[in-house]
Amino acid sequence: MRAIRGRFAPSPTGSMHLGNAWAALLGWLAVRSQGGRMVLRIEDLDPERSRPEYMAGLLEDLAWLGLDWDEGPDKGGPYEPYVQSQRLALYDEALSRLAERGLVYPCYCTRKELRTAASAPHAGEEAPLYGGACRLLGAEERRKKERAGRRPAMRLRCPAESVSFTDLLHGRITVDPALTAGDFALRRSDGVHAYQLAVVVDDGAMDINLVVRGADLLSSTPAQVALFKLLGYAPPDFLHVPLLVDSMGVRLSKRHGSLEIRRLRMNGARPEAVLGYLAWKAGLMPELRSIKAYELLEPFNPARIPSRPLKVEDDAEYMILGA
């Protein structure tokens, strides 16, 4: 049997909230329950929102929760560096390899159309399928656009063929990414590498074979699987877990300030109470009670996790504080 290597890859664009801790816990359990190694990778490609203090806070919150890791920016490891902004040469090299095979072309469409390319997409926020306006531009047309001051993004000529991958909750999935993702961006016009490229290069280079993340990223997985194969990497197995949402059905985010891990800590919550609440929501415990992460390892079964979004109660902060 292959050794399991999983990762938690947060973006340092704000404080960790309950939804982030939810994904971190389930990812940690999926890896640790199989005796695997846990990798912590910081995805700080977004230069406008990433902050060193947020990165420090993420490490502190994860350690407080007891969700340890074997490799990461603070520990090093065989695949360092573990911070994306320090891995840009790897992304450039991967882009060059694709370009040499004629799989990349410049796109001169507006920055507004490409603005979200560097960030992981979320449910209801995916960019529309690219129509291929720049796919067949000739050399003279490209020079004309560049003389006019247009800087190109770089897009993948997405192969028109189906890909398959295994999701531990949703089963075997087969999709044609050319129909669902189109020619997706690999690098923005301002030079920032796109999420799709960076995450595939990092997971492939770090030998990650189990990826646990939110169900909002399920729609982007076929494109990533296609890119794994084009770059010569074996795609990992996936576990796309349901999102935690508020009483209105809106996914938890930084605007739910009372559910920030830092805030809960300051208000007197214990890590076992936070983990107990999350384990209860995941169906890993029949009742709400405090528990340590390692106590959840033996009974962990990803098939027991609900596939639908899970609502967080309006008084969740008080439930956690009282647990």
Side-chain angles (χ1 to χ4, degrees), residues 65-78:
L65 288 168
L67 304 179
D68 61 347
W69 54 95
D70 304 297
E71 304 167 26
D74 59 330
K75 295 187 176 184

PDB file of all heavy atoms in Angstrom, residues 65-78:
ATOM      1  N   LEU A  65      -5.623  23.969  18.125  1.00  0.00           N
ATOM      2  CA  LEU A  65      -6.645  22.934  17.937  1.00  0.00           C
ATOM      3  C   LEU A  65      -6.076  21.521  18.074  1.00  0.00           C
ATOM      4  O   LEU A  65      -6.835  20.561  18.213  1.00  0.00           O
ATOM      5  CB  LEU A  65      -7.290  23.078  16.557  1.00  0.00           C
ATOM      6  CG  LEU A  65      -8.224  24.273  16.374  1.00  0.00           C
ATOM      7  CD1 LEU A  65      -8.554  24.470  14.900  1.00  0.00           C
ATOM      8  CD2 LEU A  65      -9.511  24.100  17.189  1.00  0.00           C
ATOM      9  N   GLY A  66      -4.768  21.389  18.016  1.00  0.00           N
ATOM     10  CA  GLY A  66      -4.156  20.064  18.108  1.00  0.00           C
ATOM     11  C   GLY A  66      -4.064  19.353  16.777  1.00  0.00           C
ATOM     12  O   GLY A  66      -3.839  18.140  16.729  1.00  0.00           O
ATOM     13  N   LEU A  67      -4.202  20.098  15.682  1.00  0.00           N
ATOM     14  CA  LEU A  67      -4.104  19.520  14.337  1.00  0.00           C
ATOM     15  C   LEU A  67      -2.661  19.704  13.868  1.00  0.00           C
ATOM     16  O   LEU A  67      -2.314  20.680  13.224  1.00  0.00           O
ATOM     17  CB  LEU A  67      -5.096  20.199  13.397  1.00  0.00           C
ATOM     18  CG  LEU A  67      -6.562  20.164  13.856  1.00  0.00           C
ATOM     19  CD1 LEU A  67      -7.464  20.877  12.859  1.00  0.00           C
ATOM     20  CD2 LEU A  67      -7.031  18.720  14.062  1.00  0.00           C
ATOM     21  N   ASP A  68      -1.821  18.749  14.210  1.00  0.00           N
ATOM     22  CA  ASP A  68      -0.394  18.893  13.951  1.00  0.00           C
ATOM     23  C   ASP A  68      -0.055  18.535  12.505  1.00  0.00           C
ATOM     24  O   ASP A  68      -0.876  17.992  11.767  1.00  0.00           O
ATOM     25  CB  ASP A  68       0.415  18.037  14.931  1.00  0.00           C
ATOM     26  CG  ASP A  68       0.087  16.552  14.812  1.00  0.00           C
ATOM     27  OD1 ASP A  68      -0.925  16.206  14.168  1.00  0.00           O
ATOM     28  OD2 ASP A  68       0.836  15.728  15.360  1.00  0.00           O
ATOM     29  N   TRP A  69       1.168  18.841  12.099  1.00  0.00           N
ATOM     30  CA  TRP A  69       1.627  18.548  10.754  1.00  0.00           C
ATOM     31  C   TRP A  69       3.085  18.130  10.809  1.00  0.00           C
ATOM     32  O   TRP A  69       3.803  18.399  11.758  1.00  0.00           O
ATOM     33  CB  TRP A  69       1.442  19.761   9.832  1.00  0.00           C
ATOM     34  CG  TRP A  69       2.065  21.034  10.314  1.00  0.00           C
ATOM     35  CD1 TRP A  69       3.293  21.536   9.990  1.00  0.00           C
ATOM     36  CD2 TRP A  69       1.483  21.996  11.229  1.00  0.00           C
ATOM     37  NE1 TRP A  69       3.511  22.733  10.630  1.00  0.00           N
ATOM     38  CE2 TRP A  69       2.415  23.053  11.386  1.00  0.00           C
ATOM     39  CE3 TRP A  69       0.255  22.080  11.900  1.00  0.00           C
ATOM     40  CZ2 TRP A  69       2.175  24.152  12.206  1.00  0.00           C
ATOM     41  CZ3 TRP A  69       0.010  23.178  12.711  1.00  0.00           C
ATOM     42  CH2 TRP A  69       0.961  24.195  12.854  1.00  0.00           C
ATOM     43  N   ASP A  70       3.505  17.402   9.777  1.00  0.00           N
ATOM     44  CA  ASP A  70       4.853  16.831   9.735  1.00  0.00           C
ATOM     45  C   ASP A  70       5.819  17.677   8.913  1.00  0.00           C
ATOM     46  O   ASP A  70       7.030  17.646   9.143  1.00  0.00           O
ATOM     47  CB  ASP A  70       4.808  15.419   9.138  1.00  0.00           C
ATOM     48  CG  ASP A  70       3.858  14.514   9.901  1.00  0.00           C
ATOM     49  OD1 ASP A  70       4.118  14.263  11.090  1.00  0.00           O
ATOM     50  OD2 ASP A  70       2.849  14.057   9.322  1.00  0.00           O
ATOM     51  N   GLU A  71       5.294  18.377   7.925  1.00  0.00           N
ATOM     52  CA  GLU A  71       6.095  19.232   7.057  1.00  0.00           C
ATOM     53  C   GLU A  71       5.375  20.566   6.919  1.00  0.00           C
ATOM     54  O   GLU A  71       4.152  20.611   6.889  1.00  0.00           O
ATOM     55  CB  GLU A  71       6.271  18.599   5.668  1.00  0.00           C
ATOM     56  CG  GLU A  71       6.875  17.203   5.689  1.00  0.00           C
ATOM     57  CD  GLU A  71       6.736  16.497   4.344  1.00  0.00           C
ATOM     58  OE1 GLU A  71       6.648  17.204   3.302  1.00  0.00           O
ATOM     59  OE2 GLU A  71       6.698  15.257   4.319  1.00  0.00           O
ATOM     60  N   GLY A  72       6.141  21.634   6.822  1.00  0.00           N
ATOM     61  CA  GLY A  72       5.505  22.934   6.684  1.00  0.00           C
ATOM     62  C   GLY A  72       6.507  24.063   6.751  1.00  0.00           C
ATOM     63  O   GLY A  72       7.719  23.826   6.907  1.00  0.00           O
ATOM     64  N   PRO A  73       6.043  25.297   6.658  1.00  0.00           N
ATOM     65  CA  PRO A  73       6.966  26.440   6.624  1.00  0.00           C
ATOM     66  C   PRO A  73       7.779  26.604   7.896  1.00  0.00           C
ATOM     67  O   PRO A  73       8.874  27.168   7.858  1.00  0.00           O
ATOM     68  CB  PRO A  73       6.040  27.637   6.403  1.00  0.00           C
ATOM     69  CG  PRO A  73       4.682  27.175   6.826  1.00  0.00           C
ATOM     70  CD  PRO A  73       4.637  25.718   6.518  1.00  0.00           C
ATOM     71  N   ASP A  74       7.249  26.118   9.013  1.00  0.00           N
ATOM     72  CA  ASP A  74       7.966  26.246  10.279  1.00  0.00           C
ATOM     73  C   ASP A  74       8.828  25.029  10.580  1.00  0.00           C
ATOM     74  O   ASP A  74       9.704  25.090  11.448  1.00  0.00           O
ATOM     75  CB  ASP A  74       6.966  26.458  11.417  1.00  0.00           C
ATOM     76  CG  ASP A  74       5.977  25.306  11.533  1.00  0.00           C
ATOM     77  OD1 ASP A  74       5.652  24.670  10.502  1.00  0.00           O
ATOM     78  OD2 ASP A  74       5.508  25.023  12.656  1.00  0.00           O
ATOM     79  N   LYS A  75       8.587  23.906   9.866  1.00  0.00           N
ATOM     80  CA  LYS A  75       9.303  22.662  10.159  1.00  0.00           C
ATOM     81  C   LYS A  75      10.226  22.229   9.033  1.00  0.00           C
ATOM     82  O   LYS A  75      11.093  21.377   9.235  1.00  0.00           O
ATOM     83  CB  LYS A  75       8.300  21.542  10.443  1.00  0.00           C
ATOM     84  CG  LYS A  75       7.469  21.757  11.698  1.00  0.00           C
ATOM     85  CD  LYS A  75       6.626  20.533  12.015  1.00  0.00           C
ATOM     86  CE  LYS A  75       5.876  20.713  13.332  1.00  0.00           C
ATOM     87  NZ  LYS A  75       5.121  19.501  13.719  1.00  0.00           N
ATOM     88  N   GLY A  76      10.019  22.786   7.848  1.00  0.00           N
ATOM     89  CA  GLY A  76      10.788  22.318   6.710  1.00  0.00           C
ATOM     90  C   GLY A  76      10.292  20.958   6.249  1.00  0.00           C
ATOM     91  O   GLY A  76       9.196  20.521   6.601  1.00  0.00           O
ATOM     92  N   GLY A  77      11.115  20.273   5.480  1.00  0.00           N
ATOM     93  CA  GLY A  77      10.737  18.972   4.955  1.00  0.00           C
ATOM     94  C   GLY A  77      11.370  18.740   3.597  1.00  0.00           C
ATOM     95  O   GLY A  77      12.026  19.618   3.028  1.00  0.00           O
ATOM     96  N   PRO A  78      11.181  17.553   3.038  1.00  0.00           N
ATOM     97  CA  PRO A  78      11.861  17.188   1.786  1.00  0.00           C
ATOM     98  C   PRO A  78      11.361  17.930   0.559  1.00  0.00           C
ATOM     99  O   PRO A  78      11.992  17.854  -0.501  1.00  0.00           O
ATOM    100  CB  PRO A  78      11.578  15.686   1.665  1.00  0.00           C
ATOM    101  CG  PRO A  78      10.315  15.465   2.441  1.00  0.00           C
ATOM    102  CD  PRO A  78      10.380  16.439   3.571  1.00  0.00           C
TER     103      PRO A  78
END
